[in-house]
């Protein structure tokens, strides 16, 4: 067991990305891959929607995965009944806690929010499933009410609170202090659920852990509404390498999962995507490539193989001679420093003209051209 439990919500919140729909077969495949990765809980969908959504959750619950399977619900009995019909062993019961949501969306009162939450939790509790009570818009909720809500949920039988930064308005310091304050007042597990509207979703999730949260929710590739959610791959590797926590996931599975979800969602991964992007272990600039070639830890925190990637020394405008020599020697070519200098200047000219890096064939072509021009060629290649 890892120190912190991971809750994947790709199949529910991730699919709520505008314009994204997973086929049921894809949902099942993603659930299997998440289970192989080793996440602790998988939120599979919203059973009350019925139709394919209901069938997908039911099929995932039947797979017999190691992870708990969560059905997502409003704090409404018929929602929970639909989840239970799917055979899930966990339910998320969601209700807004901020006044802005209570007054303008639910058009009700704090008292009614507590009442409906308790009714829903009591109902689920009889069925013996794991219960997460989701405080929607928790980050804009009055602190006193937040504590009262958490205490009431615990008394009703909830196993944890999901603290939702629904609009992504928090900063890591505020999150850490807020979670610590809730934990001080109520002895209940907390799951962080953070959105990326200001680019701080992963940082806020990690900050929640520093504040005492036991669970972190995330989506593969940070998929989700608007700017998305905390990214699963960032959270897992952040817990391991930034916080130094024990993790029970196998990060080698991350890259394949990321690409599967990128394809299934039709949302291409940027090359610079943290942890799993194509360029995460690509070095071009002379100083970086030289360092990474001599001792990878100079510019890499962990080995690329840890996440199923490979180190790449890219030849381009910013390359230095060390990378040119290494690249050509690896291909069996003889090259000394003087020739490497000549090759490098031609590489720079070509890279600027083409506005891109050079491929292996282009580098070899330039190398041969240099030998020819300088009368160094032993025989025509
Ligand atoms: Mn969300």
């Amino acid at each position: 067991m890892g120190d912190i439990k991971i809750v994947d919500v790709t199949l529910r919140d991730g699919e709520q990305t505008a314009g994204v729909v997973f086929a049921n077969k894809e949902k099942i495949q993603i659930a299997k891959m998440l289970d192989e990765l080793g996440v602790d809980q998988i939120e599979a969908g919203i059973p009350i929607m019925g139709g394919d959504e209901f069938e997908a959750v039911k099929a995932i619950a039947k797979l017999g995965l190691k992870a708990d399977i969560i059905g997502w619900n409003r704090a409404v009995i018929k929602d929970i009944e639909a989840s239970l019909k799917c055979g899930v062993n966990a339910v998320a019961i969601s209700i807004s806690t901020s006044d802005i949501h209570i007054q303008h969306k639910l058009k009700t009162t704090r008292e009614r929010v507590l009442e409906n939450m308790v009714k829903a939790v009591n109902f689920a509790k009889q069925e013996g499933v794991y219960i997460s009570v989701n405080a929607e818009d928790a980050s804009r909720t009055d602190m006193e009410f937040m504590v009262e809500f958490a205490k009431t949920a615990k008394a009703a039988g909830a196993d944890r609170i999901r603290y939702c930064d629904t609009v992504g308005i928090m900063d890591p310091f505020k999150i850490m202090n807020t979670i610590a304050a809730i934990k001080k007042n109520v002895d209940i597990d907390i799951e962080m659920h953070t959105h990326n509207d200001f680019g701080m979703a992963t940082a806020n999730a990690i900050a929640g852990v520093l504040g005492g949260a036991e669970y972190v929710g995330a989506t593969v590739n940070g998929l989700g509404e608007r700017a998305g959610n905390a990214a699963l791959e960032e959270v897992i590797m952040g817990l391991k390498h930034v916080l130094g926590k024990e993790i029970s996931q196998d990060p080698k599975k991350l890259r394949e999962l990321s690409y599967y979800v990128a394809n299934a969602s039709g949302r291409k991964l940027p090359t610079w995507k943290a942890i799993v992007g194509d360029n995460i272990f690509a070095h071009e600039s002379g100083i970086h490539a030289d360092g990474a070639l001599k001792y990878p830890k100079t510019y890499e925190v962990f080995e690329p193989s840890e996440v199923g990637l490979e180190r790449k020394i890219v030849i381009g405008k910013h390359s230095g001679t060390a990378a040119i020599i290494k690249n050509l020697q690896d291909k069996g070519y003889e090259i000394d420093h003087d020739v490497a200098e000549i090759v490098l200047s031609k590489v720079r000219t070509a890279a600027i003209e083409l506005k891109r890096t050079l491929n292996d064939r282009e580098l070899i072509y330039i190398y041969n051209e240099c030998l020819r021009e300088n009368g160094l060629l032993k025989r025509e290649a």
Side-chain angles (χ1 to χ4, degrees):
M1 272 293 179
D3 293 342
I4 302 298
K5 295 201 173 57
I6 303 291
V7 184
D8 182 88
V9 297
T10 307
L11 300 176
R12 200 274 307 169
D13 219 358
E15 205 194 32
Q16 282 177 210
T17 307
V20 167
V21 181
F22 294 125
N24 278 17
K25 271 187 181 166
E26 290 170 333
K27 279 196 149 198
I28 290 165
Q29 178 62 25
I30 292 166
K32 285 180 180 169
M33 292 172 92
L34 287 166
D35 199 53
E36 275 177 37
L37 170 68
V39 304
D40 299 279
Q41 297 182 326
I42 296 169
E43 193 161 279
I46 309 173
I48 191 65
M49 283 171 66
D52 281 331
E53 179 81 357
F54 179 91
E55 293 304 326
V57 178
K58 196 168 144 190
I60 291 166
K62 268 199 185 140
L63 290 173
L65 302 178
K66 294 185 291 297
D68 289 336
I69 306 301
I70 305 175
W72 189 95
N73 311 276
R74 294 166 299 178
V76 172
I77 303 292
K78 69 176 194 310
D79 283 34
I80 301 166
E81 282 173 338
S83 278
L84 296 170
K85 259 188 225 157
C86 288
V88 298
N89 62 350
V91 292
I93 297 171
S94 186
I95 192 160
S96 295
T97 51
S98 68
D99 289 331
I100 186 169
H101 274 219
I102 293 172
Q103 285 165 20
H104 299 284
K105 188 182 82 169
L106 301 179
K107 299 193 184 299
T108 186
T109 60
R110 288 182 181 182
E111 291 68 33
R112 287 300 300 258
V113 163
L114 292 177
E115 231 175 82
N116 287 338
M117 181 267 288
V118 168
K119 267 188 219 161
V121 172
N122 285 340
F123 179 75
K125 187 73 181 169
Q126 292 167 11
E127 305 294 329
V129 290
Y130 180 94
I131 303 168
S132 171
V133 169
N134 303 359
E136 192 185 355
D137 206 22
S139 50
R140 291 188 297 180
T141 297
D142 169 69
M143 193 57 180
E144 232 171 86
F145 184 62
M146 186 69 227
V147 169
E148 187 186 352
F149 182 84
K151 278 185 177 160
T152 310
K154 184 187 154 86
D159 293 284
R160 73 151 182 258
I161 292 291
R162 175 179 291 174
Y163 184 96
C164 302
D165 183 17
T166 302
V167 295
I169 194 65
M170 291 297 259
D171 73 68
F173 300 99
K174 210 164 150 192
I175 280 264
M176 186 178 74
N177 293 332
T178 303
I179 298 304
I182 299 171
K183 295 290 295 182
K184 210 175 128 187
N185 282 288
V186 196
D187 178 24
I188 188 164
D189 284 355
I190 295 181
E191 175 199 351
M192 295 311 300
H193 182 93
T194 52
H195 277 271
N196 204 34
D197 296 74
F198 290 91
M200 287 190 262
T202 301
N204 284 338
I206 295 286
V209 169
L210 292 172
E214 293 86 354
Y215 289 77
V216 181
T219 61
V220 179
N221 302 337
L223 210 58
E225 291 179 86
R226 307 183 311 277
N229 291 53
L232 180 72
E233 58 280 3
E234 296 169 13
V235 165
I236 290 173
M237 294 306 273
L239 288 173
K240 181 174 180 189
H241 289 288
V242 181
L243 297 194
K245 300 272 185 198
E246 281 288 329
I247 58 163
S248 52
Q249 290 74 37
D250 176 6
K252 275 195 191 68
K253 313 271 188 203
L254 284 173
R255 163 92 173 176
E256 207 191 325
L257 173 62
S258 275
Y259 274 80
Y260 188 89
V261 171
N263 277 327
S265 62
R267 298 291 183 274
K268 268 193 172 176
L269 273 192
T271 54
W272 61 91
K273 173 69 194 65
I275 309 297
V276 289
D278 278 342
N279 273 1
I280 297 311
F281 293 93
H283 305 282
E284 181 184 322
S285 90
I287 293 168
H288 284 233
D290 182 48
L293 285 170
K294 285 175 178 151
Y295 188 66
K297 278 207 154 64
T298 50
Y299 289 104
E300 294 169 2
V301 173
F302 53 88
E303 278 289 311
S305 59
E306 201 179 316
V307 289
L309 281 167
E310 282 174 7
R311 180 172 305 116
K312 281 189 288 192
I313 303 295
V314 176
I315 301 299
K317 179 189 169 186
H318 306 98
S319 289
T321 50
I324 302 280
I325 292 170
K326 169 86 167 96
N327 195 302
L328 286 164
Q329 279 179 348
D330 282 353
K331 293 181 179 62
Y333 294 93
E334 276 175 41
I335 180 163
D336 61 26
H337 191 81
D338 292 344
V339 177
E341 290 279 12
I342 303 167
V343 171
L344 180 60
S345 78
K346 280 181 182 286
V347 161
R348 284 192 176 141
T349 306
I352 292 165
E353 275 173 8
L354 297 166
K355 286 173 73 72
R356 60 168 170 82
T357 58
L358 303 187
N359 62 37
D360 287 352
R361 293 180 67 91
E362 289 166 332
L363 176 63
I364 292 164
Y365 179 83
I366 287 174
Y367 165 77
N368 280 325
E369 191 182 64
C370 287
L371 296 189
R372 245 189 327 268
E373 284 173 10
N374 292 278
L376 296 165
L377 206 59
K378 286 164 196 146
R379 54 173 200 280
E380 283 296 325

